[in-house]
Structures are given as structure tokens and as C-alpha cells.
Amino acid sequence: VFFKCENFQKTGVFKFRGAMNAVQLLNDDVTAVGTHSSGNHASALTKAAVLSGRDAHIVMPSNAPLIKQNMVRSYGGNIIFCEPTLKSREETAAKMQQETNAELIHPYNDPRVIYGQGTMGVELIEDG
């Protein structure tokens, strides 16, 4: 039995791999990133952005858990609240992107994020 303890990632969430991969693949002229997320991707992307010297603009539903909001804030992210619906998240994220010129990094439908998450499987095979 092998375990890959992703909870030991820098943010304590498994989403950090995907977020960091996406941020590392950005062009140097990208100064800010953005997303919509209730928490895990939000904190992971904020940490990855800050580590790379970029701003992070995070659209969160108004009912997002306070602990998730505090994580994003503690890493230096700018939170923009929206109604707790997918439509509101997407509309608010689009508006945020226009206003900030941030590169939108979707929480689950971005190939850069998916590839980054997939590195866990590669490591598991290599370690096994």
C-alpha cells in the first residue's frame, strides 16, 4: 500500500499541484491570476501566485467557509464575493478578469491544472 499525502502540500490541500503548474506555465508578462472557487483551489492559486510574484483575485461565493476565506487572505489574495451560484461565479469572474487583466485559471477545467494534478500519479508510479 502506498500513500501520496497531498495534505502535506504547502497549502494543506491537494489543489496546490495543479495551481502551481498553471502559474509556472504563464508568460512572464502575466502579473495577476484569477479564479472562482469556494476554497481549496482559491487558496492554492493564491499561494502559487504569491510565490511567483503575482497578484491573485479570487471570486468566492458569499457562503464560502470562513476558514477558506481566511486562508486566501493570509496568503495575500484579493477576495471578490458573489452569490452562491455557478452563474454568479462565472459572471463575477469574467468581470474581475476584465477589470484586473488577470489570467483566469479555472478550478477544474483548465488543462494546466489537470496536468499539474496528474504529476501525482507519475510520482506514485516512480516511487512504487
Side-chain angles (χ1 to χ4, degrees), residues 35-95:
T35 196
H36 61 83
S37 168
S38 298
N40 288 338
H41 180 68
S43 60
L45 185 63
T46 300
K47 184 69 171 180
V50 169
L51 287 172
S52 71
R54 294 177 169 96
D55 295 330
H57 303 284
I58 310 297
V59 173
M60 295 184 93
S62 57
N63 64 352
L66 188 57
I67 192 166
K68 303 292 186 175
Q69 295 176 35
N70 289 340
M71 281 180 63
V72 170
R73 285 190 187 103
S74 73
Y75 295 143
N78 171 43
I79 299 175
I80 302 118
F81 289 104
C82 68
E83 292 301 312
T85 66
L86 181 58
K87 181 179 179 185
S88 180
R89 286 179 187 213
E90 291 175 345
E91 289 174 352
T92 306
K95 182 179 177 188

Side-chain angles (χ1 to χ4, degrees), residues 98-112:
Q98 290 175 344
E99 292 174 356
T100 65
N101 201 31
E103 172 88 14
L104 189 64
I105 299 178
H106 196 275
Y108 54 85
N109 200 19
D110 186 310
R112 300 168 295 189

